[in-house]
Amino acid sequence: MGGIGYFYGSSIIDRAYKADWDQDEDDEEDQTFVKPEPKLQPPRSLLTATPSRSFFPRGFYWDEGFHLLLIGAWDNDLSLEILKDWVDLIDDDGWVGREQILGEEARSKVPEQFQAQYPSNANPPTLTMAVTAFIERLLSNRSGSGPTDEELGLGGDSQKVFASGGSNEYGNSKESNKHLHDHGLALSYLRSIYPPLRRHYDWFRSTQRGQIKAYARKARSRTEAYRWRGRTQDHVLTSGMDDYPRGPPHAGELHLDLISWMGFFTRTMKSIATFLGEKEDEAYFAEIEANILGNIEDLHWSEENEMYCDLGVNDDDESVHVCHKGYLSLFPFLLGLLPPSSPHLGPILDLLRDSKHLWSPYGLRSLSASHPLFGQGENYWRGPIWIQMNYLALSSLYKVYAAEPGPYQEKARQIYEELRENVVKNVYKASQPQCA
């Protein structure tokens, strides 16, 4: 079972090695093979949730943002303590390892080839979801004389996807909610995490940037394009969706899910800057956000396939869309980046609701049932239903697309009701004792 644990110990970091496709083609550095140099680091501590304390006794960045959504709804201040521990791991360059394997006991559960962490590799910045959820709780718990939505950075296009609903007796107590009842305490907390988060954000923008000009790609911004580093021929472990189908590895490929995460990260930073009264930063993030949203449309929308896709480079050095129907195709929708009035929302909802592709009585499949790789190989992200991705879909439907006026509002509402029922029934059934 998952749970919360405290971990302490050394970790292994390799600052020399880069994967085969990590360097850009125009890098001036020597691109010959670099021998790995894993080195033991000084001990660190971490309070974190784990998907399984016995089998995975370590912190996972990709998982933790989702864990904190649940923990924060139960105990706001505990979620902030865990979040702060993760933020404190961000180094001077802005990097944090995607797996925190601290100490010999934790390493004993990890194959040797996966123990080292690489400062060139990222992971989906899900910690931003915990920040967004905290600000949403501030909004719902503030007194009538407290700051307005705009002062909290929650007006306009601010994050809406992760507002919590419902209540519980402990979670509403002052013991677990000091940062919600004391505006000064909340302000102090956000000020403490803002500089390292800004460092982390800048690290993403500089180290995971992709190429636009080199392949004559047309986009309104010449800077906002992104590519996961650390991939192999068949896996992009850094994306969190390990074996999800991608195009052939190439220094010129661009990844839809990463630019979508960067759009979400940018909105979160804009919200914090607004809350803290950092007007110049707010304007800076607003401009980047607009450029990212524009480039998602310009670069990643395939009119031919009526879906969002990765970009690859073919044998003639031409930029081409790489389209595999599944979770990846939904990312601008999943993270609430797509305006409710977008003409592209209709095809996304059609894809989501089509039983030949993602729709099932149990939730959304990770890959289209009609895809030739459906259920093949490791079958990790090639069909199985993942609860966190279904949660993202339900949150976006409920908080944005079924809630706000638009040409697809009623359709979004119907899909939300059906998907929610399917997921709840499936989770309930799976939680029941199995008879021999």
Side-chain angles (χ1 to χ4, degrees), residues 218-220 224 256 259 290-303 307-309 311 321 332-333 337-339 342-345 348:
K218 296 180 180 180
R220 64 197 76 182
E224 300 308 320
L256 170 65
I259 192 174
N291 289 337
I292 287 176
L293 297 183
N295 276 15
I296 288 176
E297 300 300 319
D298 295 344
L299 295 170
H300 291 281
W301 176 257
S302 169
E303 198 65 44
M307 59 187 283
Y308 291 99
C309 308
L311 278 176
H321 282 115
F333 157 82
L337 302 177
L338 201 63
S342 171
H344 297 160
L345 179 59
I348 284 182

Side-chain angles (χ1 to χ4, degrees), residues 340-410:
S341 59
S342 171
H344 297 160
L345 179 59
I348 284 182
L349 293 177
D350 288 341
L351 170 62
L352 184 155
R353 186 58 184 82
D354 192 337
S355 59
K356 296 178 183 177
H357 296 299
L358 307 188
W359 191 265
S360 84
Y362 311 103
L364 301 177
R365 303 182 181 103
S366 50
L367 188 66
S368 168
S370 302
H371 195 284
L373 291 178
F374 179 78
Q376 300 300 305
E378 298 166 25
N379 194 25
Y380 202 42
W381 290 85
R382 296 184 176 185
I385 295 165
W386 288 79
I387 187 61
Q388 74 269 39
M389 308 304 279
N390 278 264
Y391 170 77
L392 290 180
L394 286 167
S395 293
S396 288
L397 286 166
Y398 182 71
K399 302 296 181 183
V400 183
Y401 303 109
E404 298 183 13
Y408 306 103
Q409 184 180 21
E410 183 56 36

Side-chain angles (χ1 to χ4, degrees), residues 23 25 41 47 57 111 116 136 138 141 153 176 210 220 232 286 289 316 328-329 332 345 357 361 376 395 400 429:
Q23 291 183 335
E25 291 180 334
Q41 304 299 307
L47 179 66
E136 288 285 357
L138 282 173
N141 283 278
S176 64
R220 64 197 76 182
T232 63
E289 177 190 356
D316 296 321
L328 182 71
S329 321
L345 179 59
H357 296 299
Q376 300 300 305
S395 293
V400 183
K429 181 180 179 181

Side-chain angles (χ1 to χ4, degrees), residues 79-97:
S79 73
L80 298 186
E81 184 178 355
I82 294 172
L83 173 62
K84 185 65 165 59
D85 256 24
W86 272 95
V87 169
D88 286 345
L89 292 175
I90 298 172
D91 69 14
D92 291 341
D93 295 326
W95 173 75
V96 58

